[in-house]
Amino acid sequence: MSFLLHSRPVILVAGAGVLFSGCAAWYIVGRKLSVRVASLAREVELLRQEVERLRNIVEQLLPPQPPKFEKNASFHNSSLMTSDDEEAYEDAYGGPLPWLTGLRSTALTNDLDSRSITSDDYLSANSFQSLDSDETAQLFNKVDRLFDGSDHDKQEAYDTLSKKKSKLSNDANFVWRLAKATYFRSQIVGTSDKEEQRRLIFSSKDIAKEALQLDEKNSNAHKWYAIALGSTNDYESVKVKIQNGYDFKSHIERAIVLNPTDPTSHYLLGRWCFGVYMLSWVERRAAATLFATPPTATIDETLEHFLEADKLKPGTWKENLLFIAKCYIQKREYETALQWLDKADVLPTMGQDDELSQQEITTLLKQYSSYRN
């Protein structure tokens, strides 16, 4: 008993220590749990936001639902994504596939300077196949020269062709030039008048389609229809963009078959292939789920198109040289890539498109400088 009385202070102190240690331990555990719960809450909120974003994307893929009281047979028989397709799209992909986003967003309209999509057109073997007078020949020669000039010159080409539309509307070579002029007019308008730019872009596509209806074997009609079609993607739903991507490739391939000596067509097809090759694993899985025959491209065939464009227009196209270098980088042939970057670097910078290319060229030269001999 005396032992307990004498030991009581020790026992009390020890008990207090144990109690304090236990409280401290619970406090630490509780603190960690609170931090973890707060972290999980933030993650859940981010996931909620992502689900909402994906839901908005999927809604773009689907056409507007008809009123419930309507029984629209054509609607119910239309080709829509299945629920499995929608789930795969939501799970695997958060936006339009890069190779299908058209010229303006990947690609490509802003990357095509006037030198690359003007002077090549009238070298086509079928450019003057429907000429029936010296006056028409002179008209075409005049506007082709104007296409190679300033924005003022391009505007003059548009005005000149517009005045002749009623007279030459059945001539495919006139109509694709009018489509081209309308496209250039849309670029001149730019973002200062977005509604007018939109109208001109869709008008360019419609006019190019008229040229194809007049002469399906006209390579320039196919090329300019593809360029105009790609430009409309800024205003289209994801579902339409997907279809436009396939149509773009189809018309560019047809243009090459009809005129294999046009460097711009090879460049455009190279850009399409490069976009496909650069798809991430997740994007490839999404494509394989969404499409019966998903697009494929190898880096070698991509490089082949760019090299062919350079062969037809040797050493003068900064942007094409840049993409040749980027292909060699993907092939891990860095020394060869640097050689092409050096070629691109010494070319003069002409316009905004070349300025953007030059920025990337400078970055890549610095990034891979250690691979020089």
Side-chain angles (χ1 to χ4, degrees):
M1 186 69 177
S2 61
F3 169 77
L4 292 175
L5 291 174
H6 288 294
S7 301
R8 186 176 181 182
V10 176
I11 294 172
L12 289 174
V13 170
V18 170
L19 179 61
F20 177 79
S21 299
C23 290
W26 277 109
Y27 174 78
I28 293 172
V29 171
R31 180 68 175 172
K32 289 183 177 179
L33 287 173
S34 297
V35 172
R36 180 55 179 158
V37 168
S39 176
L40 288 173
R42 287 194 297 270
E43 292 178 11
V44 169
E45 176 60 22
L46 290 175
L47 287 173
R48 187 196 66 76
Q49 294 175 8
E50 181 67 10
V51 169
E52 183 64 25
R53 185 175 70 86
L54 291 173
R55 182 182 293 111
N56 292 335
I57 291 172
V58 172
E59 287 176 355
Q60 293 183 44
L61 292 170
L62 300 176
Q65 294 292 328
K68 291 184 178 180
F69 57 83
E70 287 187 4
K71 294 291 185 179
N72 189 323
S74 63
F75 171 82
H76 291 289
N77 293 331
S78 62
S79 177
L80 301 178
M81 288 185 177
T82 66
S83 58
D84 290 339
D85 290 342
E86 293 173 16
E87 291 175 4
Y89 192 89
E90 286 185 90
D91 292 341
Y93 200 74
L97 300 178
W99 83 98
L100 300 174
T101 54
L103 296 179
R104 295 180 61 81
S105 52
T106 70
L108 298 179
T109 297
N110 293 334
D111 294 328
L112 294 172
D113 59 28
S114 60
R115 291 171 292 111
S116 67
I117 52 176
T118 56
S119 58
D120 302 322
D121 293 334
Y122 52 88
L123 299 178
S124 171
N126 62 11
S127 288
F128 297 101
Q129 62 185 17
S130 63
L131 297 181
D132 55 6
S133 69
D134 291 339
E135 181 182 357
T136 307
Q138 291 173 7
L139 171 66
F140 288 176
N141 284 325
K142 175 184 177 180
V143 296
D144 288 340
R145 287 193 300 271
L146 290 171
F147 283 145
D148 283 331
S150 64
D151 284 351
H152 177 78
D153 294 328
K154 293 182 177 68
Q155 178 64 53
E156 184 180 347
Y158 174 79
D159 294 338
T160 300
L161 291 170
S162 297
K163 293 176 182 178
K164 299 290 184 179
K165 184 176 181 180
S166 60
K167 181 179 180 181
L168 296 171
S169 59
N170 292 325
D171 186 326
N173 286 307
F174 169 85
V175 176
W176 72 252
R177 282 178 169 85
L178 181 58
K180 177 177 178 177
T182 305
Y183 168 84
F184 279 139
R185 170 65 181 150
S186 75
Q187 302 307 294
I188 294 170
V189 170
T191 58
S192 61
D193 188 342
K194 292 184 178 180
E195 188 56 36
E196 177 64 5
Q197 183 182 48
R198 180 186 186 281
R199 185 192 69 79
L200 288 166
I201 286 173
F202 278 91
S203 177
S204 175
K205 185 196 75 169
D206 293 340
I207 295 170
K209 188 174 182 179
E210 292 175 12
L212 285 174
Q213 292 170 345
L214 290 169
D215 183 6
E216 192 279 332
K217 294 183 178 180
N218 191 303
S219 64
N220 283 316
H222 282 282
K223 180 173 72 175
W224 280 99
Y225 179 76
I227 291 172
L229 179 67
S231 297
T232 66
N233 277 353
D234 277 354
Y235 311 97
E236 299 287 14
S237 66
V238 174
K239 186 177 182 181
V240 174
K241 289 178 181 179
I242 290 172
Q243 185 58 53
N244 285 353
Y246 286 103
D247 291 345
F248 171 86
K249 179 174 183 281
S250 174
H251 284 283
I252 290 298
E253 288 179 330
R254 180 61 173 155
I256 291 175
V257 169
L258 293 169
N259 181 21
T261 63
D262 185 344
T264 306
S265 294
H266 289 283
Y267 169 80
L268 289 169
L269 188 54
R271 289 297 304 270
W272 192 93
C273 291
F274 190 83
V276 171
Y277 177 78
M278 293 300 291
L279 288 175
S280 68
W281 179 86
V282 172
E283 292 163 346
R284 292 180 189 279
R285 293 283 297 176
T289 303
L290 291 173
F291 313 120
T293 307
T296 59
T298 67
I299 196 61
D300 288 324
E301 68 176 299
T302 302
L303 177 60
E304 183 180 342
H305 291 303
F306 291 132
L307 289 174
E308 185 64 21
D310 183 69
K311 178 182 176 181
L312 294 168
K313 196 171 188 175
T316 60
W317 192 348
K318 183 184 286 284
E319 205 152 32
N320 190 63
L321 298 179
L322 168 61
F323 273 90
I324 292 174
K326 290 170 74 170
C327 286
Y328 279 114
I329 289 173
Q330 292 300 314
K331 289 166 65 69
R332 301 181 186 277
E333 298 180 22
Y334 302 121
E335 292 182 8
T336 305
L338 285 169
Q339 294 173 11
W340 286 97
L341 288 171
D342 287 337
K343 292 180 182 179
D345 190 42
V346 298
L347 291 177
T349 299
M350 308 287 290
Q352 182 181 4
D353 302 321
D354 276 357
E355 289 177 4
L356 294 175
S357 295
Q358 185 59 49
Q359 292 175 12
E360 188 170 4
I361 290 166
T362 301
T363 299
L364 292 175
L365 282 170
K366 182 178 180 180
Q367 182 177 350
Y368 294 97
S369 59
S370 60
Y371 291 95
R372 289 193 182 278
N373 291 328

